[in-house]
Amino acid sequence: MKTEVENYNPIARLIHWLSAIAIIGLFAAGLWMVDLSYYSEWYRTAPHWHKSIGILLSGLTLIRLVWKSVTVSPGIEGNTLEKWAAKIAHGLMYIVLLILFTSGYLISTADGRAIDIFDWFAIPGAGALFEGQADLAGEIHFYAAWTLIILAGLHAMAALKHHFIDKDNTLRKMIGASK
Ligand code: HEM
Ligand code: HEM
């Protein structure tokens, strides 16, 4: 039998907030870096960092999902519609993250190269798996990134609405301060 909990556990909270910061940073850095000129000192470094942090985040997300499946999460608050909307939004964010990781990998490895993670280790590339891979994966990556940021924005607004208008524990349980 599962025991009820009031807060997300500390590891789930840490991963949630670290991931949120990484995702917002990756989004801003992604939009900025694609317009850099060859002569910018960031031309190589920015994509290297973007890919390294993106791959590390994909590993963290895998750990997050395993952790979520072996621990208990607190219940979602609000009316039936809000509970469903929250569940669908959470699920969609995980799915869109998966699309971002896959498309990011496919853009980066289309030319046969591996992905170096901060010069610590490398993820092998599978080379070109289909025609026009870098372009198609790039388009998907772009739209997926916008989809995730819009979903996360709505999600954050919902959390603030629960906190300031409904005055319930929704936001507190992600900070570890449920009353
Ligand atoms: C949450 C995760 C991620 C977010 C939010 C994100 C976001 C973005 C954004 C907004 C762009 C600019 C797209 C454009 O304007 O065309 C971009 C480009 C790019 N991203 Fe990501 N990204 C993520 C993960 C990854 C990962 C895991 C990789 C690689 C393993 C990756 C590799 C790339 C590459 C190579 C580009 C350049 C694409 C091009 O030259 O058109 N990204 N990313
Ligand atoms: C890129 C940004 C973000 C992403 C991708 C994201 C993603 C998620 C996901 C997937 C969950 C569900 C956790 C689970 O698996 O049980 C969640 C829960 C939560 N997030 Fe975020 N989040 C982001 C930013 C934020 C921000 C900025 C806030 C606050 C303003 C926030 C507040 C919360 C709260 C309160 C919950 C718990 C909801 C509940 O269980 O009722 N998140 N988030």
Side-chain angles (χ1 to χ4, degrees):
M1 201 184 87
K2 283 194 169 180
T3 34
E4 298 250 332
V5 291
E6 306 246 298
N7 291 305
Y8 279 93
N9 60 68
I11 295 184
R13 292 187 326 247
L14 180 70
I15 298 181
H16 173 268
W17 294 114
L18 266 182
S19 303
I21 294 167
I23 290 164
I24 295 165
L26 283 168
F27 179 74
L31 291 184
W32 166 71
M33 74 186 192
V34 290
D35 287 331
L36 288 173
S37 96
Y38 180 78
Y39 300 100
S40 162
E41 55 178 316
W42 289 102
Y43 184 75
R44 276 177 201 287
T45 338
H48 175 63
W49 279 55
H50 183 89
K51 289 185 263 181
S52 298
I53 295 173
I55 293 287
L56 292 178
L57 179 69
S58 69
L60 187 67
T61 305
L62 194 67
I63 295 172
R64 178 179 187 174
L65 290 172
V66 172
W67 185 247
K68 183 177 163 63
S69 70
V70 298
T71 55
V72 184
S73 302
I76 294 176
E77 292 171 67
N79 60 38
T80 315
L81 181 73
E82 285 176 315
K83 285 185 186 165
W84 273 101
K87 281 202 175 141
I88 292 171
H90 295 167
L92 274 178
M93 287 194 281
Y94 287 124
I95 292 170
V96 179
L97 272 171
L98 188 74
I99 295 174
L100 272 166
F101 299 144
T102 312
S103 55
Y105 175 84
L106 291 174
I107 310 168
S108 311
T109 55
D111 59 3
R113 279 186 300 170
I115 304 178
D116 289 316
I117 314 302
F118 289 124
D119 306 322
W120 298 338
F121 62 97
I123 300 282
L129 301 173
F130 52 87
E131 195 79 17
Q133 176 169 319
D135 289 342
L136 181 61
E139 286 272 298
I140 293 173
H141 197 73
F142 175 80
Y143 288 110
W146 272 104
T147 306
L148 181 63
I149 286 300
I150 291 169
L151 278 172
L154 293 171
H155 162 77
M157 282 183 342
L160 295 176
K161 179 244 178 207
H162 278 275
H163 189 71
F164 291 109
I165 298 176
D166 305 335
K167 300 193 191 320
D168 64 17
N169 276 317
T170 300
L171 185 57
R172 281 195 203 94
K173 68 192 173 207
M174 202 32 116
I175 299 169
S178 271
K179 286 199 239 176

